Amino acid sequence: MVNGVDLSVNFAGIKAPNPFWLASAPPTDKAYNVVRAYEAGWGGVVWKTLGEEPPAVNVSSRYSAHYGKNREVIGFNNIELITDRSLEVNLEEITQVKKDWPDRALIVSIMVPCNEEAWAYILPRVEATGADGIELNLGCPHGMPERGMGAAVGQNPDLIEKVTYWCKKHYSKPVIVKLTPNITDIRVGAQAALRGGADAVSLINTINSITGIDLDNMVAKPTVGHQSTHGGYCGSAVKPIAMNMVAEIARDPATPTLPISGIGGISTWRDAAEFIALGAGSVQVCTAAMLNGFRIVEEMKDGLSRWMAEKGYESIEAFSRKAIPQTTDWKHLDINFKTIAKIDQDLCIECGRCYIACEDTSHQSIAKLTEKDGARRYEVIEEECVGCNLCQITCPVENCITMVPQETGKPFLAWDDDPRNPFRAAS
């Protein structure tokens, strides 16, 4: 790590040498995996969800993927349930791992039926392991909701509050509530968790999904015999959704200081930094570890510490929530701000993608010119450019197209105050 940079975190009273934790999932299913993760350098783990006896029964197959070019996994889908190992074995292993690795965060994920007796039974047993805290799995979108657990609880604010209250009543260490994204407004769940006494929230859990269809057999993937079902979607594709939900909670006046553990598509140090800037105090990783192995954390820690040193941030806390003051509702944005595209002709490879995109689907603000030697040249028609960024996005050459702010001579004007706003006029 870089000298002068401290990656350690104190998340809701849970200490860890770095903010990179493995999320509750197959990578944290047993002591063997968790020890390998700690040896690789992960700052903490959330043990795969424990439940009542008898343990859950899983099906085969369980995973599917949404691919990009060259079979790059963009999104990952699973229909796996909570641990299919006995509660006793899990508790014994958790106890030993925590004893052997006292400096690492160890949180236990739990899901039991929605009655106080079930929680009152399991919580003292989990607390006896010495684990640092618990995470309530209120978001599993498949298999468990049919039994009145998982997302069936996470989609009901009253149940979120009630279950959280029971856990705080029967457990003395930090309680983290894991929220489901399969809901209209993520803030409602966070507010309910806070009312119940939650020490923190974690999000997002997986998103309901079907990643693809086997068109020869007309069955979705993953396929179990001749059938399939919706599963939980994760991986890099869900990162934008997760970051928005983290930011919504961080900037909500009802939950401005509620600790957040960010989850969803984190695979690099930059992903982690972005989540932290939007309010996360720790980050949880699953899909990236499943696709690339535990050693990815080395690059994550190194990259984050080097970036922090470059920016002058000595601790994670120094830049946590730094992006929140600049994150607002659309109605508060400056209507008078203007930017236009500029093409660097020295970098342009004359592929024409910007022209096609703008001509066919946008504002016809890029001209296609032909030089004397027959070479193509593309130029922005400034008076037609609305600064939508589409050309910049479609350009395959980094920094070839930039968006240049323009001096308009007009003052800041939010939509709330714009004379063109019919609601303002009516009021």
Side-chain angles (χ1 to χ4, degrees):
M1 296 303 100
V2 177
N3 289 335
V5 171
D6 182 9
L7 291 183
S8 68
V9 294
N10 185 333
F11 180 79
I14 300 171
K15 296 181 180 180
N18 64 67
F20 297 104
W21 300 356
L22 284 173
S24 171
T28 63
D29 184 42
K30 58 179 74 73
Y32 177 82
N33 302 74
V34 172
V35 169
R36 283 178 61 83
Y38 284 157
E39 289 173 343
W42 291 86
V45 302
V46 182
W47 201 278
K48 188 173 181 183
T49 308
L50 308 186
E52 282 192 320
E53 298 284 26
V57 177
N58 279 296
V59 296
S60 176
S61 60
R62 304 174 193 176
Y63 305 143
S64 65
H66 173 50
Y67 294 101
K69 292 183 178 180
N70 303 316
R71 282 186 63 82
E72 175 193 4
V73 175
I74 298 173
F76 193 84
N77 179 53
N78 86 89
I79 57 172
E80 186 162 305
L81 303 182
I82 64 176
T83 183
D84 52 14
R85 304 189 311 140
S86 75
L87 179 62
E88 287 300 329
V89 168
N90 274 295
L91 293 174
E92 289 174 4
E93 291 186 359
I94 292 168
T95 301
Q96 189 61 51
V97 170
K98 185 57 191 175
K99 186 180 297 183
D100 294 342
W101 296 85
D103 68 319
R104 308 300 174 91
L106 199 165
I107 296 96
V108 179
S109 177
I110 309 176
M111 182 195 299
V112 293
C114 196
N115 62 73
E116 185 172 0
E117 292 74 21
W119 289 97
Y121 171 76
I122 197 171
L123 288 171
R125 306 185 72 188
V126 171
E127 184 156 5
T129 66
D132 300 296
I134 59 173
E135 182 181 81
L136 314 187
N137 185 343
L138 306 186
C140 182
H142 52 269
M144 307 312 290
E146 294 93 313
R147 313 177 197 190
M149 294 181 277
V153 178
Q155 292 168 340
N156 186 324
D158 292 337
L159 293 180
I160 293 174
E161 181 178 353
K162 186 177 294 185
V163 171
T164 306
Y165 173 78
W166 291 337
C167 290
K168 291 298 294 181
K169 177 180 177 182
H170 297 286
Y171 184 77
S172 66
K173 292 184 177 181
V175 173
I176 305 168
V177 177
K178 190 172 186 178
L179 301 174
T180 175
N182 301 304
I183 191 171
T184 304
D185 188 344
I186 196 69
R187 296 173 298 180
V188 175
Q191 292 168 11
L194 186 60
R195 288 195 302 271
D199 297 284
V201 293
S202 59
L203 66 152
I204 58 173
N205 210 314
T206 52
I207 303 170
N208 283 328
S209 69
I210 292 177
T211 53
I213 300 292
D214 178 345
L215 292 175
D216 293 322
N217 297 301
M218 286 299 168
V219 60
K221 303 174 182 179
T223 303
V224 181
H226 301 291
Q227 298 174 300
S228 188
T229 185
H230 67 86
Y233 196 52
C234 52
S236 62
V238 311
K239 176 189 165 188
I241 299 168
M243 288 203 300
N244 172 64
M245 291 188 172
V246 166
E248 286 294 282
I249 294 172
R251 69 188 188 92
D252 182 2
T255 55
T257 60
L258 181 63
I260 301 169
S261 186
I263 314 170
I266 298 167
S267 58
T268 68
W269 70 263
R270 183 176 292 275
D271 296 333
E274 291 175 358
F275 269 83
I276 293 168
L278 284 173
S282 70
V283 293
Q284 297 185 33
V285 178
C286 172
T287 306
M290 293 180 73
L291 296 176
N292 301 292
F294 287 154
R295 303 214 73 86
I296 62 170
V297 75
E298 295 177 352
E299 187 174 332
M300 288 179 167
K301 291 191 298 182
D302 182 65
L304 182 60
S305 60
R306 289 178 183 276
W307 173 80
M308 288 171 61
E310 178 185 334
K311 297 297 182 180
Y313 298 126
E314 296 182 355
S315 66
I316 297 296
E317 188 177 353
F319 72 97
S320 179
R321 301 181 183 244
K322 275 278 189 177
I324 288 300
Q326 292 74 247
T327 306
T328 187
D329 297 331
W330 186 95
K331 63 184 178 181
H332 299 311
L333 300 176
D334 184 5
I335 296 292
N336 284 335
F337 178 79
K338 182 174 176 58
T339 183
I340 63 172
K342 180 180 179 181
I343 302 174
D344 186 331
Q345 299 299 333
D346 292 332
L347 293 177
C348 180
I349 60 174
E350 302 171 358
C351 67
R353 289 176 61 179
C354 62
Y355 170 76
I356 295 294
C358 189
E359 192 72 13
D360 286 356
T361 69
S362 196
H363 294 85
Q364 298 75 51
S365 59
I366 295 180
K368 179 181 179 181
L369 308 175
T370 303
E371 304 287 358
K372 291 181 179 180
D373 59 358
R376 292 172 296 182
R377 179 184 176 91
Y378 300 95
E379 292 185 354
V380 175
I381 307 171
E382 294 187 1
E383 59 270 23
E384 298 295 333
C385 181
V386 300
C388 70
N389 295 64
L390 179 60
C391 59
Q392 183 186 46
I393 291 170
T394 58
C395 180
V397 180
E398 188 175 5
N399 298 322
C400 178
I401 299 180
T402 54
M403 306 307 297
V404 183
Q406 303 296 297
E407 180 56 59
T408 66
K410 297 179 181 180
F412 183 99
L413 179 65
W415 182 241
D416 278 347
D417 302 317
D418 195 319
R420 295 166 293 182
N421 182 344
F423 296 100
R424 175 187 180 279
S427 64

